[in-house]
Amino acid sequence: MVVVCLLFAGCTGKPSEVSPRTGPPSSAASPITSTQVSADPATGLSVLGRVGELSGHATDGTWFDSRELDGCVWIAILLPESGVPGPLVAALAKLSTAVEKLPEQREIHLVCFRQSPPANSPPQPPFSPSAAWKIVTLATDQVSVWSKTALGESAAENAETSGDSPPCLVLVDATGRVRGRDYSPTPEGLPLLVDDLRRTFAERKAVPPEIVNPPWFASRREAQLVAAKDYSAQHDFQFTDRRIESGIRFRNKIVDDAGKFYKAGHYDHGNGVAIADADLDGREDIYFVNQVGGNELWRNLGGGKFENITSASGVALADRIGVSASFADIDNDGDPDLYVTTTRGGNALFENDGTGHFRDISVASGTNYVGHSSAAVFFDFNRDGLLDLFVVNVGRFTSDERKRVTMEPLRDELQGEYFYYDAYKDAFAGHLKPERAERSILYQNLGGNVFRDVTEVMGLVDESWSGDASPLDVNSDGWPDLYLVNMQGNDEYYENVKGQSFVCKSREVFPKTPWGSMGIKSFDFDNDGDLDLFVTDMHSDMSSHIGPEREQLKSDMKFPDSFLQTQGQSLYGNAFFRNAGNGKFEEVSDSVGAENYWPWGLSVGDLNADGFQDVFIASSMNLPFRYGVNSVLLNDRGRKFLGSEFVLGVEPRRGGRTAIPWYEVGCGGADAGHLDCQGRSGRVVVWAALGSRSSVIFDLDQDGDLDIVTNDFNSEPLVLVSNFAERHPKLQYLKVRLRGTASSRQGLGAVVRVKAGKQVWTQVHDGKSGYLSQSADLLYFGLGSITQLDELEIQWPSGRRQTVPGPLSLNVVLDVTENKE
Amino acid sequence: MRNRVHQTFSREIMIRVAGWGLGVFLAGCESDLPPAAQNLPWEVVLTGTNFCWEITDPGRDGKLGTVDDLHLAPPLRLPANIPTRVLLRSRDYLYTFELTALQIKQIAIPDLTYFVEFNSGKPGESEFRGDQFCNNAHNALSGTVIIQSWRDYRRWQAIAETEQQTQR
């Protein structure tokens, strides 16, 4: 049996002589991992180690997982096996009372661990010092984890030879670091603990200050819940963040230029997330792009569970600063290949062998461009059945100076050294400096996994500061045109002239576009049979402070014209271009309610399966701006969007988090001159708002409804699982998987129409799944309450039209192979 | 220490007296007319450096880029009632400069020069604001604009020039 109660010199009553506030720790409190023990001259609080992951059943019937406490300070104690003496119960009750008086009490968790009793032993007596304490039963191996990580290895060894003795309380900070471990639950020990608890919070510097508990958050939520009472769009379901349960451990990590040495550069645009059935097992896997530390491929095991197969698949690219990911079948062999862009590390093309193992063919394919690449878009511009590639380049926003990433000591998750190119201090003015322009690249797929740069030949020379693009057939001539978003200026539109060239017709077709465009998606908003266009505008929200009360309005643009350079011909917010037919678009963003705060990219899917496409906008900027909610816009039957992130449980985030520790500076040492050290001393932990960058909507658990997965910046993703199918057993949908023959095997570019009576649902299979992302996914049609599908019509990129006659089965995956005619 | 303080104080008084005398002399010279007579704007430079503005005043010759240029910290002083051009530059970051009363805003970017033009108007004080495009408050980028009569401005220039020479 594991000995669970440990002896400490300082845990027997009076203050310990190895108090964590008094300098070097004693041998009994020695460091237990590679984590440095560093006494802090200002706060006196050292870092003594890092608590391992712990989980177990709680007496309140919930499942406890220590990862839930990320961002919270917690106090824990391992109870004696022999029972809980009355004085200890009283002490814990007293501690909870003291904690309740602290202004940060909502952020403090109290946990009692006790060991799972041996089989056939009598049940443990009930124990409840106060409702504030969560009482968790740990398995033996988990007790060992606690002992070795929270208490320290040498302490654990001492305990094994010392037998039972009074347990100590342990103080854990918001990043899981042990900050004190020898507080005795006595009248002498508790004040010390509360004092150190205060010191832990004193280390925090929130930027800006209101991000931890945004004062507007509750009223904003309440207002939406009230408004939703009049929503006609179905909203009686919830999303729940099941990241921890899914097994996904990915965490996005960033360079210092987006954190400790923040600059208004382009590193903070973050990363994409793309899905594809990489191993052809019938389930979509998730590929998360990382800025630092390598990308990760997570295999879908079914039932909402995932496993990390990055190492076996060979797609980590850990030596590079990742940006975007695009899955596409470049060789028409039936499996999704992968293209990944980077910042000056070289873009990479991987060929899939059909089992989820990838081979790097970047150099041989001719697509290994080295620059400031952003999104990559596969489409068949010449309709030859081979997917071509458009690589969007931002512009030269970095100098040649290489710097080492130093952001990670806060969490200790990064092994090894990582380097990045230093961003220019005036990176955001890059569009005013022609010498920093970097043209995007159009690659023609020649077959045999070889591509050729045809940018100039095709007349698609564009040097916009762009992050993404989308193909769409604006003039309905069957040839995919290209809309390119410009993050610092007006967007560009290039008309495809029969696959022979592209002609710029930007202002002719789109007279005014957003000034700071980020994300783009074309879809049929109103089910009128043509494709509308939604473009999000991030940079306009940067020009001045936008309070919660102004989020639905266009930005009150404060940048001077000399900076904007668009002669007043810009929108300062999201654009929604409703397709008016004949190649004409009408900008209706305000009347349909398409505005939101600090958007990045958008993903589209019928979240409530009512036959109208809804929208998820990954939002919020992180450091140094206020928190912004991720936006869910339910489609009110093609009339307008209804803000629904609170209604559907997307907000608040799990645990109510709006901010997390972002980086740390040591003001008594090497960081003394850092801006965050002004007026501060000792250890300063800078907090920043949480924020998502990209997202993908798909049926993660194959239960028939659509779920949402994000890639958040410098934190863990959201894995938002919908319970719509559970709430609506009569849910009706159709999934369509295309197999081109004359067209590309994946059928990218096909327009699919599902018909039931007079109702027609139209979708384009463009793979655009969110900002910086392209996925190889099925098409999902929510069908509302119809009883029969009459017909499915496909307009293939090859020009062929195909009809699949009904009645068609519902709630199935319909495989359609391009016919031979 | 007392001695050093006293010496410094005495030297400062001497500089100010000398500067004032020079200013009175210059102000009395008929040739020392405001540049408005030449129909040229009065030019000063603001250069963003490490979240602060460095001001370059043209000095007594009224021309930038000459040896008598004054390099100063805010406040920004300008002669009254003449066309004025504030040139904006940066040595590092991207900044904005805003004259709130006049609703004029402009950017400062390394390697490029932007400017704002306006008539300086009557003597008085107003504020200018600066920003660094990053949402962090940089208070040193904001400050005061002091508009002075031509005579007062020239006196101030003379004092500032003497101080600058002494510091060299």
Side-chain angles (χ1 to χ4, degrees):
Chain A
M1 182 183 296
V2 176
V3 176
V4 295
C5 196
L6 308 169
L7 177 64
F8 278 90
C11 190
T12 53
K14 58 183 185 177
S16 162
E17 60 183 298
V18 290
S19 164
R21 292 169 293 119
T22 57
S26 73
S27 59
S30 62
I32 42 76
T33 65
S34 60
T35 305
Q36 191 76 30
V37 173
S38 50
D40 190 294
T43 67
L45 281 182
S46 301
V47 174
L48 303 174
R50 184 172 295 281
V51 179
E53 290 179 6
L54 297 164
S55 59
H57 285 288
T59 51
D60 61 4
T62 60
W63 179 255
F64 170 85
D65 191 308
S66 60
R67 286 176 292 166
E68 298 264 19
L69 302 182
D70 188 32
C72 296
V73 172
W74 47 296
I75 298 165
I77 188 167
L78 184 60
L79 301 172
E81 282 182 275
S82 53
V84 188
L88 178 56
V89 177
L92 297 182
K94 190 174 180 182
L95 178 57
S96 62
T97 303
V99 165
E100 283 169 11
K101 292 175 182 168
L102 296 176
E104 300 90 357
Q105 54 102 359
R106 281 182 51 213
E107 303 169 56
I108 303 166
H109 291 254
L110 305 173
V111 187
C112 284
F113 293 125
R114 60 183 182 186
Q115 189 181 4
S116 181
N120 303 322
S121 61
Q124 293 173 318
F127 162 73
S128 179
S130 81
W133 286 90
K134 187 177 275 285
I135 301 163
V136 178
T137 302
L138 297 178
T140 303
D141 63 324
Q142 292 282 281
V143 171
S144 178
V145 169
W146 170 259
S147 299
K148 287 183 177 174
T149 60
L151 304 179
E153 275 179 352
S154 54
E157 288 165 11
N158 289 343
E160 286 175 10
T161 59
S162 303
D164 276 4
S165 61
C168 299
L169 291 148
V170 176
L171 173 62
V172 183
D173 73 12
T175 58
R177 299 182 299 187
V178 179
R179 306 304 298 277
R181 58 163 64 120
D182 55 356
Y183 309 98
S184 66
T186 62
E188 292 83 11
L190 293 184
L192 290 173
L193 171 56
V194 174
D195 192 33
D196 283 353
L197 191 56
R198 287 198 184 97
R199 289 164 189 262
T200 304
F201 282 106
E203 292 174 350
R204 177 162 74 189
K205 177 183 178 182
V207 181
E210 68 273 17
I211 54 171
V212 177
N213 290 302
W216 50 267
F217 199 83
S219 58
R220 170 81 185 275
R221 175 176 179 272
E222 184 61 26
Q224 188 176 94
L225 295 180
V226 169
K229 291 175 181 169
D230 296 327
Y231 286 4
S232 56
Q234 197 153 26
H235 58 276
D236 57 346
F237 63 104
Q238 291 283 294
F239 288 93
T240 304
D241 183 359
R242 300 220 177 274
R243 175 184 59 85
I244 291 174
E245 295 84 346
S246 74
I248 292 173
R249 302 289 182 93
F250 173 76
R251 194 172 74 79
N252 185 274
K253 305 174 196 66
I254 64 174
V255 300
D256 292 30
D257 279 8
K260 187 173 177 181
F261 300 109
Y262 177 79
K263 297 171 195 159
H266 299 78
Y267 280 120
D268 58 25
H269 291 207
N271 301 106
V273 52
I275 61 159
D277 182 5
D279 54 359
L280 303 183
D281 66 352
R283 291 184 286 264
E284 286 103 348
D285 311 303
I286 308 175
Y287 185 68
F288 294 100
V289 186
N290 213 343
Q291 195 162 74
V292 177
N295 310 324
E296 294 181 11
L297 179 60
W298 286 81
R299 180 169 173 260
N300 191 336
L301 301 171
K305 303 288 185 185
F306 290 80
E307 68 172 349
N308 189 346
I309 58 167
T310 309
S311 181
S313 64
V315 289
L317 295 174
D319 59 335
R320 306 178 203 186
I321 304 298
V323 181
S324 77
S326 300
F327 280 110
D329 185 358
I330 60 166
D331 46 10
N332 291 333
D333 65 352
D335 56 44
D337 308 297
L338 175 65
Y339 191 72
V340 183
T341 65
T342 75
T343 301
R344 299 184 69 176
N347 299 337
L349 181 60
F350 293 99
E351 182 190 13
N352 191 343
D353 71 358
T355 67
H357 296 91
F358 291 80
R359 183 170 66 98
D360 190 335
I361 58 168
S362 311
V363 175
S365 69
T367 59
N368 58 328
Y369 176 77
V370 181
H372 302 80
S373 295
S374 189
V377 181
F378 285 99
F379 73 122
D380 186 3
F381 78 83
N382 55 5
R383 295 167 58 186
D384 64 352
L386 295 168
L387 290 177
D388 310 300
L389 173 63
F390 185 68
V391 176
V392 181
N393 291 322
V394 178
R396 295 187 181 91
F397 65 85
T398 64
S399 72
D400 288 337
E401 184 182 354
R402 275 167 66 82
K403 288 194 168 176
R404 191 170 65 85
V405 176
T406 66
M407 287 281 291
E408 274 307 306
L410 198 58
R411 289 190 169 79
D412 285 338
E413 289 182 355
L414 208 53
Q415 306 299 319
E417 290 195 319
Y418 295 86
F419 294 88
Y420 67 101
Y421 287 97
D422 192 31
Y424 288 125
K425 290 177 176 175
D426 65 340
F428 190 36
H431 64 291
L432 303 176
K433 298 189 169 186
E435 69 276 14
R436 292 189 190 170
E438 189 171 330
R439 71 172 53 163
S440 297
I441 305 169
L442 178 65
Y443 292 105
Q444 180 186 354
N445 188 339
L446 302 177
N449 290 341
V450 175
F451 290 74
R452 179 171 64 118
D453 182 347
V454 294
T455 311
E456 290 198 22
V457 175
M458 293 298 297
L460 191 52
V461 177
D462 189 286
E463 296 187 338
S464 305
W465 280 65
S466 178
D468 214 330
S470 177
L472 73 167
D473 186 5
V474 165
N475 56 1
S476 303
D477 66 350
W479 295 91
D481 311 307
L482 195 69
Y483 187 105
L484 186 137
V485 297
N486 187 346
M487 64 176 81
Q488 289 163 221
N490 278 331
D491 299 341
E492 303 294 350
Y493 162 67
Y494 294 91
E495 188 175 284
N496 185 342
V497 184
K498 301 184 186 307
Q500 301 300 306
S501 65
F502 284 87
V503 177
C504 183
K505 291 190 173 182
S506 306
R507 300 291 74 78
E508 190 178 320
V509 181
F510 299 97
K512 268 191 175 183
T513 68
W515 186 84
S517 300
M518 283 296 142
I520 179 170
K521 182 71 180 92
S522 66
F523 64 101
D524 186 1
F525 168 66
D526 45 12
N527 286 348
D528 65 351
D530 53 31
L531 296 167
D532 311 296
L533 187 63
F534 196 150
V535 178
T536 54
D537 179 341
M538 183 280 280
H539 272 150
S540 289
D541 284 352
M542 191 174 166
S543 83
S544 64
H545 175 73
I546 296 176
E549 74 287 353
R550 286 187 47 81
E551 289 188 2
Q552 307 299 312
L553 303 175
K554 290 283 182 288
S555 164
D556 180 18
M557 174 53 70
K558 298 291 187 187
F559 295 153
D561 290 340
S562 54
F563 184 72
L564 298 171
Q565 295 278 307
T566 55
Q567 294 76 47
Q569 294 301 301
S570 293
L571 300 165
Y572 303 120
N574 298 346
F576 194 91
F577 297 108
R578 192 198 294 269
N579 193 331
N582 298 320
K584 304 288 185 190
F585 288 82
E586 181 188 7
E587 204 289 305
V588 296
S589 56
D590 290 336
S591 63
V592 302
E595 195 56 63
N596 81 320
Y597 174 64
W598 213 293
W600 293 94
L602 72 159
S603 301
V604 169
D606 190 356
L607 301 174
N608 55 5
D610 66 350
F612 287 89
Q613 299 275 75
D614 310 300
V615 172
F616 178 89
I617 308 180
S619 306
S620 191
M621 168 54 203
N622 316 102
L623 186 84
F625 289 82
R626 75 169 175 90
Y627 178 69
V629 298
N630 279 318
S631 293
V632 179
L633 303 178
L634 284 181
N635 186 333
D636 185 13
R637 304 189 67 76
R639 296 180 296 234
K640 60 182 177 181
F641 288 113
L642 303 169
S644 303
E645 55 280 348
F646 290 100
V647 177
L648 300 181
V650 168
E651 295 285 347
R653 290 165 175 254
R654 189 168 182 161
R657 297 193 311 167
T658 50
I660 57 168
W662 206 250
Y663 61 89
E664 183 176 83
V665 287
C667 297
D671 298 320
H674 195 280
L675 278 175
D676 291 312
C677 290
Q678 290 178 358
R680 304 284 297 246
S681 59
R683 187 191 308 277
V684 174
V685 179
V686 176
W687 284 52
L690 285 159
S692 302
R693 289 294 181 278
S694 56
S695 56
V696 56
I697 294 177
F698 70 112
D699 187 1
L700 175 150
D701 48 7
Q702 297 184 308
D703 65 350
D705 59 30
L706 291 176
D707 311 296
I708 305 167
V709 175
T710 71
N711 195 348
D712 280 27
F713 194 54
N714 197 31
S715 61
E716 304 84 357
L718 301 172
V719 180
L720 299 166
V721 176
S722 169
N723 69 354
F724 188 88
E726 190 181 328
R727 294 289 304 270
H728 298 276
K730 293 181 180 176
L731 156 74
Q732 296 184 129
Y733 65 89
L734 178 70
K735 295 178 182 176
V736 179
R737 183 190 290 124
L738 300 176
R739 175 181 287 197
T741 53
S743 305
S744 71
R745 165 99 175 215
Q746 200 178 329
L748 272 191
V751 175
V752 179
R753 291 187 169 84
V754 175
K755 301 180 180 179
K758 291 181 179 177
Q759 283 189 282
V760 181
W761 295 276
T762 306
Q763 288 190 33
V764 61
H765 184 38
D766 59 9
K768 288 295 293 177
S769 57
Y771 181 49
L772 304 175
S773 313
Q774 188 173 24
S775 296
D777 193 18
L778 311 175
L779 293 176
Y780 176 96
F781 291 87
L783 300 172
S785 57
I786 62 112
T787 54
Q788 179 176 307
L789 277 182
D790 298 330
E791 185 178 281
L792 184 139
E793 179 187 290
I794 301 160
Q795 184 181 327
W796 292 93
S798 64
R800 294 175 184 172
R801 287 181 181 274
Q802 183 173 354
T803 300
V804 180
L808 301 171
S809 299
L810 302 178
N811 297 3
V812 297
V813 177
L814 179 65
D815 285 288
V816 183
T817 301
E818 185 176 9
N819 59 14
K820 301 293 183 187
E821 296 176 10
Chain B
M1 176 64 84
R2 254 182 83 189
N3 223 7
R4 279 178 58 193
V5 170
H6 177 71
Q7 284 174 358
T8 306
F9 181 68
S10 301
R11 193 173 63 183
E12 192 153 297
I13 289 177
M14 288 173 63
I15 289 167
R16 286 183 180 278
V17 169
W20 181 82
L22 185 60
V24 168
F25 170 74
L26 289 171
C29 294
E30 262 187 39
S31 59
D32 188 42
L33 293 173
Q38 304 165 50
N39 221 12
L40 292 172
W42 188 253
E43 289 188 331
V44 298
V45 182
L46 261 65
T47 305
T49 305
N50 197 25
F51 316 120
C52 298
W53 292 112
E54 179 184 298
I55 297 169
T56 306
D57 182 277
R60 282 186 297 130
D61 68 359
K63 295 176 184 172
L64 289 167
T66 58
V67 290
D68 72 340
D69 285 0
L70 300 171
H71 301 285
L72 309 150
L76 170 63
R77 292 174 186 268
L78 297 168
N81 295 313
I82 60 171
T84 302
R85 178 183 291 158
V86 176
L87 302 165
L88 296 164
R89 295 174 183 152
S90 168
R91 290 199 183 92
D92 42 36
Y93 296 95
L94 170 58
Y95 299 98
T96 61
F97 171 80
E98 183 177 9
L99 290 166
T100 46
L102 299 175
Q103 294 187 309
I104 294 174
K105 193 171 186 179
Q106 189 52 284
I107 48 176
I109 297 172
D111 310 318
L112 300 173
T113 300
Y114 290 82
F115 62 86
V116 292
E117 286 185 327
F118 53 94
N119 190 293
S120 55
K122 296 178 192 170
E125 291 191 9
S126 59
E127 67 170 0
F128 69 85
R129 286 184 190 164
D131 187 19
Q132 202 259 308
F133 279 77
C134 73
N135 204 46
N136 281 322
H138 295 289
N139 295 333
L141 287 171
S142 296
T144 305
V145 184
I146 300 175
I147 308 293
Q148 296 177 294
S149 68
W150 179 248
R151 178 170 295 197
D152 289 346
Y153 179 71
R154 295 299 257 177
R155 281 181 189 148
W156 164 78
Q157 273 189 320
I159 294 168
E161 182 180 2
T162 310
E163 284 178 346
Q164 184 168 285
Q165 285 172 347
T166 307
Q167 285 166 5
R168 281 175 189 162

